[in-house]
Structure formats: C-alpha cells, structure tokens
Amino acid sequence: MEAGSAKWQRNLFIASFIIPTFVFFCIFTIYPVAKGLYYSMFDWSGMAQTKDFIGLDNFKEMFKDPIVWRSIGNDYFLVVGKIVGIMVIATFFAVALTRFNFKMAGFFRSIFFIPNVISVVVIGVLWNFIYNPQIGFLNAFLSLFTDEKVTITWLGFTNHTIWMLLPPAIWAGIGFYMILLIAAIQNIPASYYEAADLEGATQWRQFWSITVPLIWEQMKVSILNIMMTTLNGSFVIVWIMTEGGPDNSTQVMGSYLYQMAFRQYHFGFGAAIGVLILVLSLITTVVLQRLLRHETVELS
Amino acid sequence: MINGIRNPIVKFVFYAILILWGLSVLYPLLWTLLDALKNNDQFFRHLPWALPEMPLLWSNFSYVWDKYNFDTYFLNSIVITVGSTLLGLLLAATTAYVLARYKFRGSGALYLLYIASMMVPFILALIPLFFLMNSMHLINTKIGLILVYTSSVLAFGIFVLVGFFKSLPKELEEASIMDGASYFGTFFRVMLPLSQPGLITVAIVNVLNIWNEYIVGTILINDPKQYTLPVEIGVMQAEMQYRTEWGPLFAALFFTIVPVLLVYIIFQRKIASGITAGAVK
C-alpha cells in the first residue's frame, strides 16, 4: 500500500508538470500547424460557409502562378545572398575579435550584436530612410560626388529591388552568427595555434588548417539556421520595405501567403503556400546537410 | 596568446573595418535620436546627416506619446511581453524538469516533439491561428497574444532548461526528498532557485523576441487600442505615404528601441549564452 501510494504521488507529480504545457502546446502550435496542412486542400474564402474540398488543386494552381515561382526565386536569392554575406563577414569578425589580439575586442563584439536585439520592423523603417529617394542617406551621399542631385528610387526597380533587401538582411544578421562562431573559436585549445606559430604557419594558413576545420560544425549549424530563418521569416522585412512590390518583384513566399490570405481572402491558397514553405525548407535542409558533410574534426 | 597581427598596415586595415562596421551600427541609433528632434522642413532642406536645428523639437516625443497613443502601445507591449515570458517560463521549466529527471513512457518522444517543432515554419500556423483565435473570441485581446507568444517560446525554453536541469547535481534533490519534502516542494524550493541562471537566460531571449514580434501581432490585432509597438510602427510607416511626419516616426522608433537596448546592455552575457545554447539544436 505504502509503495503504491508513493508511485501514485510520483505519477501525479509528473502528470501535473507535463500535461498543462503539452495541452497548451497542442492547442496553440500543433493544432494550427496540422490545420494549415488541412486547409491547403480547400477552396476557401475564410468568410463564408463555402469551403470546398479540392484536394491538390491549390497546389496545381500554385505551380501555374508565375508570382509563386518568382517568390521561390526571391526566397532562394535571399538564402544564397545571406549565407554568403553573413558567413564571410561573421567569420571574419569572429576570427578578428578572438585571434588577432585587438584592443577593445569585447567592445566591438557587444556593439556588433545590437541589430539583433532590434525589431525587424524598426530595421525595415531605418533602411527605408536610407533608401528614400528625396531625403535618404544613400542618394545624399552619392550626390556628394555628382554635379546634379541624385534621386534614384532604390526600391522602385522591378528587376533589381530584391538586391536592395540584401544589405539590411545581412547587416541585421551578423551579430548572432558572430557570437556563435566566437564561442566555437574560444573552445579551440590555444596550444594548437602556439604549435602552428612555432612552425611558422601564417595567420591565413592557421585559419584554414586549424580554425575552419574545428568550427565547421558551428558553421554548418549557422548556414542551416540562416536558410531556415530566411525561408520562414523574410516576410517581415519584405512587407515593411516593399510590400512585395513593385509589381510583385520582391514577393517572397511568406509575403505572398500573407497577401493571398489576409488581403485577398484566398485562405486555402495561402495555406498551400505555407505547406510549400514547409516542404522546401525540409528539402533544403537535407540537401544542405549533404553538401556540407565534411570529415568532422573532434577535439581530443 | 602569441597570435596577433604584426604587419602594421594589415592591422590598420582590420581596425578600419571593425570601426566602420561599429559605426554602421551605432550611427543609426544616434540618428534615430537626432532625427526625432527635427521637423519636416529640416528633413527636406538639409542633408540627412545634418544636426537638428535649435530649438530641438523635444515635443515630437510627447506628440507621439499623446497623439499617437504611444502610452497605450507601450503599456500593451509591456503587459504582453511580461505575461507571456512568465507563463512561458513556468510551463517550460516544469516540463523541462520532469523531462530532465524522470523517465516515463513517451518521455523521449515528447522531448523530440518539442525540439522538432522548432524546425516547422511558424507561418504555416498563421492562417489557422487567426481562425482559432477568432472562434475563441481572442482576436484583439492581450490574452490572445499572450497565449500565442507563450506557446511560441515553449520549445526553446524546454530545450535550454532540460540541459540546465541535467547539469545540476542529483544529490540535492535526494537530500531534499530525504528531509521529507514533496516532489513539488523539492522543485519549487530547491531546483527552481538553483536554476535561476538558466531561467534568466531563457527569459531575456524570450523578452527580446516577444517585444519585437510583428507578424502574429499584426494578424491577431486590428483594434488600434490593442496594438503593440512594432504593429504601430508598421502602421505609422504605411501612413507616411499620405501624411509625412518624419520627426514623430523617429521618436516612435526611439521608444521601441530603448527598452530592448537597456535589456541588452544589462544582460549581455546572458543573451550570448542563450544564443550559443539555442543554436546548437
């Protein structure tokens, strides 16, 4: 009897600590995700009762929609641009602030992270001011070197505007990945570098032969993380800076989902775009993991 | 450390790059403050980097606070951020503790489920969430946002705190149980206080994320009385096309940035350890 009651008490304790969280999580995370998959198979305006099951027709329609293809292209443009831009700059800063004995390394590190604590909405507004054709920084700066005042509408070109979204995205992302790589570099025993120094290896050589192999895991995590956050979250910066325009030229999957669902009330179609984002990010994760596979060097 | 750059030219170039990048971060913060003190006339007549003219327009700040109702949005943001951070922490810590310390059928699967959910794009849940909240009459309520934000931070909290609880010595609990404390007493009186560093790390990261959140806020809230700061910034910037009030817009940005900047300055180390823990999924 005694043992049974103790067991009962233990189970009660476990249940009371597990169940509330789980119920909460089911209602506000699992259920909506599952329901999103379900909605993607309906033709549904969201308002009326008319919710027709149309199977995979949303997906067929989606692949015939040139804006969807453009969105996918833009998403991957941002993924590749951000991976290259962020990884090169963040790695450079991480190495500079750990290996090169710079004075005030801690100060720079703290400063560089600041964009990561600011809301993407605020970042979008700040960069809109930089790009503003009449009163923006960029035109005013370029005007210093020309006879006539420069009045380029930086966010107004259908073919190139997506390029203008890359600098804010990279600028805002550096700090996070720099901190991650700094932690990795600090885990490398100093003796490796000391030995390399004694043998006369250059900084450049040390970087490629010691640093990169030993932080490769964290670089891989960073690249995958950039890919995921870009495919899932580019929507905010796009929506604030261009609303997907001009003429849908900067539309990404997330912003197109928002526009289709919450502006044009094609909720089924919007949900289908959501499924597309999920599928593409899973596929890309697998592909990237393959591409980035590399002999992992373990610290002994 | 024997490393370091010896060539003075290379060293100079590296310093220049570091300083330029640092300026690219600090200068926008400074110009947010300076531009909040200008009127429209100054924006159009002078270069963007010109200093504000005297007298400084401090009234832009009170204007945004009163006329744009930033007092309301500020309060909304604080209530929602504090509410969802505390609730999220309680739910994550309890589950994380059990997952770290007790084996039961399905415990491994449950942990995996939480971790795996971090891989699923949240945007997929957006449309159903809107209708779910609508049917629960939680659109345009602070409670609605608190519930959704709480759920969105659970997985991260569980992930970090499971690791944290595992790192605490088991003897402490055994001693506490020996002394006759209940499971609950052991958790709340012994384990929770001990895990304070982990709890603070999770709390800070969550505060920053929730304070800055825009997508869910903009979809679940359309009543201006219930806006959070980022939602209002988005609305203000869209209105700029029709009524240009650059000074007040920058004052609004200033109000939104300052709280997170203070949190960052105070808790820098905690944030860094949260990142390194959270990114290694």
Side-chain angles (χ1 to χ4, degrees), chain A residues 20-35:
Chain A
T21 311
F22 188 62
V23 168
F24 207 91
F25 192 67
C26 284
I27 298 175
F28 295 104
T29 301
I30 304 218
Y31 169 80
V33 168
K35 204 71 192 252

Side-chain angles (χ1 to χ4, degrees), chain B residues 158-199:
Chain B
I158 289 171
F159 173 71
V160 174
L161 292 174
V162 163
F164 203 87
F165 282 122
K166 276 190 176 160
S167 72
L168 295 176
K170 275 197 169 127
E171 289 77 14
L172 292 162
E173 288 153 287
E174 283 159 11
S176 163
I177 299 272
M178 289 289 233
D179 287 343
S182 67
Y183 289 111
F184 293 97
T186 305
F187 175 73
F188 285 108
R189 296 225 189 83
V190 181
M191 299 312 282
L192 212 50
L194 281 174
S195 59
Q196 210 183 29
L199 294 173

Side-chain angles (χ1 to χ4, degrees), chain B residues 43-115:
Chain B
F43 276 98
F44 286 99
R45 252 185 324 117
H46 299 304
L47 290 169
W49 49 82
L51 292 173
E53 284 172 12
M54 294 292 167
L56 299 174
L57 282 178
W58 293 103
S59 57
N60 279 339
F61 287 100
S62 52
Y63 178 76
V64 158
W65 198 258
D66 298 331
K67 295 287 179 326
Y68 274 95
N69 302 322
F70 262 66
D71 48 351
T72 312
Y73 311 138
F74 205 84
L75 193 66
N76 289 347
S77 270
I78 288 183
V79 169
I80 288 161
T81 304
V82 171
S84 19
T85 302
L86 290 180
L87 187 57
L89 217 50
L90 178 72
L91 290 175
T94 47
T95 283
Y97 175 64
V98 171
L99 288 178
R101 281 295 202 257
Y102 296 89
K103 279 262 166 260
F104 57 93
R105 206 180 312 147
S107 59
L110 193 59
Y111 179 70
L112 272 182
L113 177 74
Y114 285 123
I115 302 307

Side-chain angles (χ1 to χ4, degrees), chain B residues 99-150:
Chain B
L99 288 178
R101 281 295 202 257
Y102 296 89
K103 279 262 166 260
F104 57 93
R105 206 180 312 147
S107 59
L110 193 59
Y111 179 70
L112 272 182
L113 177 74
Y114 285 123
I115 302 307
S117 78
M118 291 198 267
M119 297 277 294
V120 176
F122 193 69
I123 198 162
L124 178 60
L126 213 55
I127 295 170
L129 213 45
F130 172 76
F131 290 102
L132 175 70
M133 302 312 273
N134 199 27
S135 66
M136 293 164 90
H137 303 290
L138 289 172
I139 296 281
N140 285 325
T141 63
K142 291 186 196 60
I143 300 288
L145 274 190
I146 289 176
L147 294 174
V148 174
Y149 288 155
T150 299

Side-chain angles (χ1 to χ4, degrees), chain B residues 7 67 211 243:
Chain B
N7 185 333
K67 295 287 179 326
W211 182 270
R243 74 196 249 218

